Amino acid sequence: MLSASFSATLRVRLADRPGAFADLARAVADAAGSLDAIDLVRVEGGSKIRDVTVLAQDAEHLQRIVDAVRALPGIEVEHVSDRTFLMHLGGKIQVVGKTPLRTRDDLSMAYTPGVARISEAIAADPQSVWNLTIKGNTVAVVSDGTAVLGLGDIGPEAALPVMEGKALLFKEFADIDAFPLCLATKEPDEIVATVTAVAPVFGGINLEDISAPRCFEVEARLREALDIPVFHDDQHGTAVVVLAALVNALRVVGKRLEDVKIVVTGVGAAGTAATRILQAAGAQRVVGCDRRGALYAGRPDLVGVKLAFAAETNPEREEGPPDDVLAGADVFLGLSRPGAVTVEGIRSMADGAIVLAMANPTPEVRPEELAGFAAVIATGRSDYPNQINNVLAFPGIFRGALDVRATEITEEMKLAAAHAIAAVVAPEELGPEYIVPSVFNRDVVPAVASAVAEAAERGGVARRRREPVVAD
Amino acid sequence: MLSASFSATLRVRLADRPGAFADLARAVADAAGSLDAIDLVRVEGGSKIRDVTVLAQDAEHLQRIVDAVRALPGIEVEHVSDRTFLMHLGGKIQVVGKTPLRTRDDLSMAYTPGVARISEAIAADPQSVWNLTIKGNTVAVVSDGTAVLGLGDIGPEAALPVMEGKALLFKEFADIDAFPLCLATKEPDEIVATVTAVAPVFGGINLEDISAPRCFEVEARLREALDIPVFHDDQHGTAVVVLAALVNALRVVGKRLEDVKIVVTGVGAAGTAATRILQAAGAQRVVGCDRRGALYAGRPDLVGVKLAFAAETNPEREEGPPDDVLAGADVFLGLSRPGAVTVEGIRSMADGAIVLAMANPTPEVRPEELAGFAAVIATGRSDYPNQINNVLAFPGIFRGALDVRATEITEEMKLAAAHAIAAVVAPEELGPEYIVPSVFNRDVVPAVASAVAEAAERGGVARRRREPVVAD
């Protein structure tokens, strides 16, 4: 796939003769690249200076395209700007004032002496911190950098661009002020202590890209310690969007969650959370698989989280590799890695098979290989139909939680979020290639936020009722 | 003093008859209040609806003015909006994107998959975190809420409006992205561990309103642990502006720092740091006083920081209350509380006495009582001449430190900052009522930043040379 994320803008000097630009366009095409924006910068002597943006499919491909252009006679490449790197110079977010600070009066209200009155008011009534500070709309995006995207344990500094990106998504999709905190420790005790210490500033904590099994302990202890929502997005955000997709996929094939057999590959953070929410929604027959095959009660090597998982799943104690247990299954949910199952395995599934192959960027099985025998196929990618992306869930979930000042995010709130996402796709729109709304669908966040806020109120974890939302 | 920080906007309904508004204006004046903005909201039947802003000197006074207006016949007060509280609703800062996020292309560069390339680049070259993330322009404003303004130990939530205000000042004055972290712990070990854990995101740490003596330990340990500047503003920001003011005040009276006797009341965070910078700048004769009087080597009750302070100051081992040691002194520096010295004490000082009475909001002695015998008087207040305010120092100091990616803020950088502030007042402008520039003087931050960056480069604590600054 050609992608803006692997694109560069080349400043080129072309001799002012017929065919000069055609040569460049041909070279890009021959290198299997694509031309995007083309701007004329200036005309200088006998040359034209242009900015030409090219799209590639990966970094190595991008380099090949640039090299091909450089090799052309009469065309000089003056400068290559990688668009993704350019966008990241100086970071992607900033902290700005909501109030001007131009005069002595402004200063005397926003800072001393006026601010002392606000501090005194909060000291007298601690709950007023929700009204009189940023707390009520602010979320910490916390990572220790141990499980960043598919890159693994790359450390807190290298995790920061991802957490900034997350903060950007929070703002753009849900008008939430999120700030990244990348921690220079991997010790659960220290992570818990640090987040607990900074919690007064925040209305919620979004944990991100913390590796299993530490992520389970960290989240559980923080939920216990804090009176604000703590939400590990890799677990629960993924679980919510998976359930949303599956609810609609089952409608497409005319099956019920209570009846279907679901095979899950990957029982890390995402796999365990997805299994839990599917069971909470009614699923009876889930079989989880790790690299050693199906998890079943009694499998001798299991300890900890996996031991508990095996006890609560796979009622028929099926054994064997994923391909084996896929035989006759209705749903395949891949939260693992490319190649975790084979095309033959998928082919052995029941009629009306649903395949949610979420490994990123390369799915467990390639959708084009399943044509004809899988009824519904979804991935995490934007270049296939049915992109299942956490962006559908976390902005609305936190928006709803903050709106009612929730003390936690309960299982009911997550279920409500999943059903709200699913419901954005109207019955008449629903089809094999449209089971989840686009991440840019503006109906998603308000729908999810409302459903989550109502579920919080019903569940008794709301500090206040939701204020009527005024449409823009 | 009438102040915007104690002001309210009254929505009043006035009978549409001659003299109705005059009655209101008279009532405000009789209550010693002042009218500010007056807006006509609408005319309704036989009434005019107006928004009338009044200024008071404190909260109780504001209430008296409102009551006086309410008592008027034919005038109905529909609503009272406290301007300072209004400004604080929802907090004073927000986190916003620096890049749009409108299309799939934007998303693929700012977030997955494009962001993975940035993370990989930082993992491969850790120093690139300064270029490719917010780190290079971001400062944490850290407080445990134990010494907030004059309010004492009011806790992290109540401290948050002050820290938000500080973040706002960082942005407005120096274009620095600052984020408040108010900590739910007072334990130095935990404060140090928390700040160390979050440090990867920040290019500098501004400690704020942490009570002595814990502030000394916390700062020292963090400076040791981190490779970014750690700066306790209550100590060093105050010290820098005090030195700046004193440098110019001494020019006014024609004395040299090396020669003068300086009496300091208050040897907490600010007093000890101010004494240290004055000595570093050349002062030989500083006598510090706490509530028990002058500190001298051998005073039996001294331990810890004060014991060390006594050993390094008061070479003549003077004893007694502040008023006694003021006899013949050239400079009084109050960093303590109203009434710490008397007018008689100031009267006993040498000719050309300099009085820097910094207790806030009420100075140690009132400037109007010193007229005629103090040559130069300065306070922390904006309603007297010579306001000595940390806002003159910390924005430029951090700007300069970030510009060169300094590893710490050295004594030389602070001295450079003080002299840069002093130099903003031109020789021909200098006078008893103009020893420091206004906090709104736009020359201050660039001058301080340049001086600090140069001092960092000279001192070998700069990671890079300062880029040429392009004027707006």
Side-chain angles (χ1 to χ4, degrees), chain A residues 152-239:
Chain A
D153 183 1
I154 57 174
E157 286 85 1
L160 184 49
V162 180
M163 306 310 138
E164 288 181 25
K166 193 96 183 188
L168 192 58
L169 296 176
F170 266 114
K171 188 65 175 187
E172 292 291 323
F173 286 94
D175 200 21
I176 288 168
D177 299 298
F179 194 82
L181 293 176
C182 297
L183 307 184
T185 176
K186 303 175 198 176
E187 290 299 322
D189 283 354
E190 293 180 14
I191 296 173
V192 170
T194 299
V195 176
T196 303
V198 302
V201 176
F202 300 100
I205 307 290
N206 182 102
L207 302 177
E208 192 80 20
D209 292 357
I210 299 175
S211 62
R214 292 172 314 116
C215 62
F216 304 118
E217 178 190 349
V218 167
E219 191 194 37
R221 288 174 58 186
L222 283 172
R223 286 186 60 145
E224 181 68 28
L226 301 179
D227 67 348
I228 54 174
V230 178
F231 184 86
H232 183 207
D233 189 49
D234 305 82
Q235 291 185 63
H236 311 298
T238 304

Side-chain angles (χ1 to χ4, degrees), chain B residues 68-418:
Chain B
V69 176
R70 280 192 204 279
L72 292 172
I75 293 181
E76 191 185 334
V77 178
E78 297 194 334
H79 192 69
V80 180
S81 307
D82 184 303
R83 284 172 68 201
T84 300
F85 277 77
L86 270 185
M87 173 192 260
H88 281 83
L89 286 181
K92 290 175 292 196
I93 56 173
Q94 60 177 330
V95 181
V96 302
K98 292 163 77 171
T99 177
L101 204 61
R102 282 188 287 264
T103 66
R104 232 169 246 294
D105 275 2
D106 297 338
L107 198 58
S108 76
M109 290 193 281
Y111 204 57
T112 57
V115 70
R117 298 174 61 207
I118 310 301
S119 289
E120 286 177 314
I122 297 171
D125 172 15
Q127 288 302 312
S128 64
V129 70
W130 290 95
N131 274 325
L132 295 172
T133 74
I134 59 171
K135 182 182 180 82
N137 199 48
T138 302
V139 167
V141 178
V142 177
S143 181
D144 63 354
T146 51
V148 180
L149 308 176
L151 306 173
D153 183 1
I154 57 174
E157 285 85 2
L160 184 48
V162 180
M163 305 312 138
E164 288 181 25
K166 194 95 184 189
L168 192 57
L169 297 176
F170 266 113
K171 188 65 174 185
E172 292 291 323
F173 286 94
D175 200 21
I176 287 168
D177 299 300
F179 194 82
L181 292 177
C182 297
L183 306 184
T185 176
K186 303 175 196 176
E187 290 300 321
D189 283 354
E190 292 180 13
I191 296 173
V192 169
T194 300
V195 176
T196 303
V198 301
V201 178
F202 300 100
I205 307 289
N206 181 102
L207 301 176
E208 193 79 22
D209 292 358
I210 299 175
S211 64
R214 292 172 315 116
C215 62
F216 303 118
E217 179 190 348
V218 167
E219 190 194 36
R221 288 174 58 187
L222 283 172
R223 286 187 60 148
E224 181 68 27
L226 301 180
D227 67 348
I228 54 173
V230 178
F231 184 85
H232 183 206
D233 189 49
D234 305 82
Q235 292 184 61
H236 311 298
T238 305
V240 166
V241 291
V242 161
L243 175 59
L246 188 54
V247 162
N248 276 347
L250 289 169
R251 284 185 188 135
V252 170
V253 299
K255 298 181 185 180
R256 299 188 333 143
L257 189 56
E258 289 74 7
D259 304 327
V260 295
K261 176 181 172 185
I262 303 168
V263 174
V264 182
T265 59
V267 289
T272 50
T275 297
R276 194 171 311 124
I277 201 173
L278 294 176
Q279 290 177 323
Q284 304 290 328
R285 297 167 63 205
V286 181
V287 179
C289 304
D290 63 10
R291 282 161 192 267
R292 296 181 180 180
L295 274 65
Y296 55 90
R299 202 177 99 175
D301 61 329
L302 300 180
V303 292
V305 174
K306 286 188 178 177
L307 184 67
F309 183 97
E312 292 158 11
T313 56
N314 196 355
E316 290 156 37
R317 301 202 184 183
E318 296 185 56
E319 301 184 21
D323 271 8
D324 287 8
V325 291
L326 270 180
D330 303 282
V331 178
F332 166 65
L333 171 57
L335 292 164
S336 47
R337 62 184 202 288
V341 296
T342 68
V343 173
E344 288 315 303
I346 302 294
R347 201 185 288 271
S348 72
M349 290 173 68
D351 282 351
I354 296 167
V355 173
L356 312 178
M358 306 274 291
N360 221 341
T362 310
E364 282 80 358
V365 279
R366 292 168 57 84
E368 44 271 59
E369 298 181 295
L370 308 182
F373 53 93
V376 181
I377 306 169
T379 70
R381 290 174 61 140
S382 62
D383 53 341
Y384 293 115
N386 297 327
Q387 184 192 15
I388 303 180
N389 189 313
N390 290 23
V391 177
L392 291 168
F394 70 81
I397 290 173
F398 272 96
R399 182 71 277 156
L402 291 174
D403 285 347
V404 297
R405 298 179 185 163
T407 55
E408 61 176 307
I409 291 171
T410 61
E411 211 61 30
E412 290 67 32
M413 290 157 77
K414 291 181 238 168
L415 287 169

Side-chain angles (χ1 to χ4, degrees), chain A residues 8 13 39 80-81 124 155 179 188 191 195 215 222 224 231 241 251 264 285 289 301-302 310-311 356 431 453 458:
Chain A
R13 177 186 294 267
D39 297 307
V80 179
S81 307
F179 194 82
I191 296 173
V195 176
C215 62
L222 283 172
E224 181 68 28
F231 184 86
V241 291
R251 284 186 188 135
V264 182
R285 296 168 64 206
C289 304
D301 61 328
L302 299 180
L356 312 178
R458 278 198 311 276

Side-chain angles (χ1 to χ4, degrees), chain A residues 61 82 127 149-150 182 199 216 219 277 320 364 375 380 391 412-413 432 469:
Chain A
H61 183 210
D82 184 303
Q127 287 303 312
L149 309 175
C182 297
F216 304 118
E219 191 194 37
I277 202 172
E364 282 79 358
V391 176
E412 289 69 32
M413 291 157 76
V469 177

